[in-house]
């Protein structure tokens, strides 16, 4: 019985890990098409650097959009702990 419990726990952990990686891949390809992630734990909308900034935090990663005054849009997908590219580009102004 102890062997079955250990085996079952390993299977559950493996299924959760595969599901998480699948979610990351799905949201990555959605971000390439400028679509929002499937799961969004927190959203942030704000005006900064003369444009509209949207950020969605999900399970270990973030999706962002930055609409500039000239109606161009920068968007991206990054790890939750990485430096914000918009802040890096416009932060020194």
């Amino acid at each position: 019985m102890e062997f079955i419990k250990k085996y079952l726990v390993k299977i559950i952990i493996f299924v959760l890990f595969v599901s998480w990686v699948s979610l990351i891949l799905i949201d990555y390809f959605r971000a390439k098409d400028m679509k929002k992630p499937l799961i969004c734990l927190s959203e942030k909308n704000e005006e900064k650097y003369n444009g509209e900034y949207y950020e969605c935090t999900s399970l270990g990663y973030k999706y962002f959009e930055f609409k500039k005054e000239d109606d161009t849009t920068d968007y991206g997908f990054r790890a939750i702990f990485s430096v914000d590219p918009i802040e890096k580009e416009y932060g020194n102004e």
Side-chain angles (χ1 to χ4, degrees):
M1 191 68 176
E2 203 56 38
F3 175 75
I4 294 174
K5 287 181 183 178
K6 287 181 183 180
Y7 188 68
L8 186 61
V9 169
K10 287 181 183 181
I11 289 175
I12 291 171
I13 290 172
F14 179 74
V15 168
L16 288 174
F17 179 75
V18 169
S19 300
W20 179 65
V21 170
S22 299
L23 183 65
I24 290 173
L25 288 174
I26 289 168
D27 283 345
Y28 171 75
F29 287 109
R30 287 177 59 88
K32 288 183 82 171
D33 292 335
M34 293 181 67
K35 295 180 183 175
K36 295 179 182 176
L38 294 175
I39 298 174
C40 199
L41 300 177
S42 69
E43 292 181 311
K44 180 169 61 170
N45 285 309
E46 60 186 17
E47 296 280 331
K48 65 181 183 182
Y49 310 118
N50 296 324
E52 295 178 25
Y53 182 76
Y54 169 79
E55 181 179 270
C56 171
T57 303
S58 192
L59 301 170
Y61 53 91
K62 291 184 178 185
Y63 169 77
F64 68 89
E65 290 179 3
F66 181 63
K67 294 181 184 176
K68 302 176 192 173
E69 290 178 322
D70 59 356
D71 290 335
T72 59
T73 303
D74 289 338
Y75 62 95
F77 187 83
R78 63 186 174 93
I80 200 166
F81 54 82
S82 66
V83 178
D84 186 356
I86 301 301
E87 192 72 36
K88 188 188 320 184
E89 183 176 342
Y90 295 102
N92 298 329
E93 294 179 357

